[in-house]
Amino acid sequence: MFKSKKWFRNFLQYIGLLGGSGFYVYQLSKGIHSVIAMGTFNPFGFLGLILSVVLGLAFNYFQIINWILILKGMKITISLESCIKNYRLSFIARYIPGSIWGYLSRSEWLYRSYGISYRISSWASLIEIIIPLLAAIMVIILYASTLAPRWLVSFFFLGSILAPMIIWRLMDFLRKRITWPLTYSEDRFYFPLRYWLTCVVIFLINWGLSGLMVYTLIFSLNPAFTSLNFFLAIRDWFKATFAFAVSWMIGFLVLFVPAGMGVREAALQNLLRYVFGLPYEQALIISVWSRLILLLSEGLWLIIGLFIHTEGEILSLPRE
């Protein structure tokens, strides 16, 4: 029975990988062809792409910092060098059928390299899953406040401020009472509020960076670009942040497609058309390039990790 379930899971993930990748390649080829045919590049285009890659690198860096802080909140200290070397490497598994979640692969890394139990690493990964989702919801609430009547704006802001503390309290309440499939009721699984709020703020910054990346790509394909417009259109930057955060959530929640490939791009394309009124072709290429830039950024961090030496690292670990 167990083998049958495992085979079925692998089959679904394999179909998800092929389907998502096929949809992704189709979007890429159609988008590049359409944009070249439109001739919508401007002199800022190349510089904009470089800036987007830098923002993608920063996005990945803050993800690594966020993971370090989550571990530190659980009284586990692992060096920045070790996380740079292994964080992205372990996440490659999300593109492989049968191990869609890089979180499982990372648990293997932590167990085999440092003896950190699966219970501890799984709890840390659960926290890491919830934090970006929570930060994305906060972005959605703040974006909704820009569309709401003025008398409702303060309620939206209050809701976005209270949401992290409410979710933290709810998680701490549930961890003491839910005992299946794993139990996290012991005191060592308590995650301090100060680390929780810090991680949420970091991911809000990350969503802002991703929005700026998308916003930069929009201007890279806009013949009417001026530097003044770029730096003054803060509202449009926030629109791009909203669009990327929502598309990431949609891609993340479609579990059978590895890393949301194709799904996230389709969602981002439609959101860009909705919030910016972009032509189909521009929205399509921007959504595909946003994925490529983040993939390139992950690859660059992988390369950086190859040159980092971590032998003899001393760790601070909780007792199991």
Side-chain angles (χ1 to χ4, degrees), residues 64-78 83 116 120-121 123-125 127-128 131 168 172 175 184 186-199 202 316-318:
I64 295 171
I65 294 298
N66 201 55
W67 175 245
I68 291 174
L69 285 175
I70 290 173
L71 293 178
K72 192 172 182 180
M74 300 183 67
K75 299 180 175 62
I76 300 172
T77 301
I78 296 181
C83 283
I116 297 174
I120 292 176
S121 60
W123 178 240
S125 292
I127 293 172
E128 191 192 22
I131 283 174
W168 172 80
D172 194 57
R175 76 167 179 87
Y184 303 110
E186 297 95 326
D187 289 341
R188 67 174 174 274
F189 291 105
Y190 172 79
F191 193 72
L193 178 60
R194 68 180 184 278
Y195 283 103
W196 175 266
L197 294 178
T198 302
C199 290
I202 287 176
S316 173
L317 304 174

Side-chain angles (χ1 to χ4, degrees), residues 43-115:
F44 176 73
F46 182 69
L47 293 176
L49 289 177
I50 294 177
L51 176 58
S52 296
V53 172
V54 172
L55 291 168
L57 287 169
F59 181 90
N60 279 275
Y61 177 77
F62 278 112
Q63 276 190 308
I64 295 171
I65 294 298
N66 201 55
W67 175 245
I68 291 174
L69 285 175
I70 290 173
L71 293 178
K72 192 172 182 180
M74 300 183 67
K75 299 180 175 62
I76 300 172
T77 301
I78 296 181
S79 69
L80 174 62
E81 292 79 7
S82 180
C83 283
I84 290 176
K85 186 176 183 67
N86 294 285
Y87 183 88
R88 280 299 161 199
L89 183 61
S90 66
F91 251 44
I92 291 178
R94 62 183 171 159
Y95 297 107
I96 301 173
S99 53
I100 186 173
W101 300 113
Y103 307 100
L104 299 178
S105 175
R106 195 166 53 208
S107 291
E108 287 292 326
W109 157 52
L110 292 174
Y111 177 74
R112 294 180 182 180
S113 299
Y114 307 119

Side-chain angles (χ1 to χ4, degrees), residues 109-271:
W109 157 52
L110 292 174
Y111 177 74
R112 294 180 182 180
S113 299
Y114 307 119
I116 297 174
S117 72
Y118 293 112
R119 273 210 306 159
I120 292 176
S121 60
S122 65
W123 178 240
S125 292
L126 180 61
I127 293 172
E128 191 192 22
I129 290 171
I130 293 174
I131 283 174
L133 290 173
L134 171 61
I137 291 172
M138 292 173 67
V139 169
I140 294 171
I141 294 174
L142 291 173
Y143 179 76
S145 72
T146 66
L147 306 175
R150 182 169 297 181
W151 63 274
L152 276 177
V153 171
S154 58
F155 291 99
F156 280 101
F157 273 95
L158 181 62
S160 64
I161 292 172
L162 293 178
M165 290 176 280
I166 293 173
I167 298 300
W168 172 80
R169 176 58 67 184
L170 179 62
M171 279 192 63
D172 194 57
F173 174 82
L174 292 176
R175 76 167 179 87
K176 297 175 182 177
R177 289 160 176 82
I178 296 178
T179 58
W180 187 91
L182 293 173
T183 177
Y184 303 110
S185 58
E186 297 95 326
D187 289 341
R188 67 174 174 274
F189 291 105
Y190 172 79
F191 193 72
L193 178 60
R194 68 180 184 278
Y195 283 103
W196 175 266
L197 294 178
T198 302
C199 290
V200 171
V201 170
I202 287 176
F203 232 99
L204 284 173
I205 294 172
N206 243 10
W207 290 136
L209 290 172
S210 65
L212 184 56
M213 177 190 69
V214 172
Y215 185 56
T216 303
L217 288 173
I218 292 173
F219 268 86
S220 298
L221 297 170
N222 189 342
F225 165 79
T226 67
S227 58
L228 181 62
N229 288 340
F230 180 80
F231 289 107
L232 288 182
I234 301 299
R235 180 186 174 93
D236 288 341
W237 174 16
F238 189 62
K239 286 181 180 179
T241 301
F242 162 77
F244 186 88
V246 173
S247 65
W248 181 90
M249 284 183 63
I250 293 173
F252 181 84
L253 294 174
V254 180
L255 303 181
F256 60 88
V257 177
M261 292 181 69
V263 176
R264 189 173 79 191
E265 287 71 46
L268 181 57
Q269 170 205 333
N270 285 290
L271 285 164

Side-chain angles (χ1 to χ4, degrees), residues 14-28:
Y14 186 68
I15 294 298
L17 179 66
L18 289 179
S21 299
F23 190 28
Y24 178 62
V25 171
Y26 166 76
Q27 287 184 310
L28 175 63

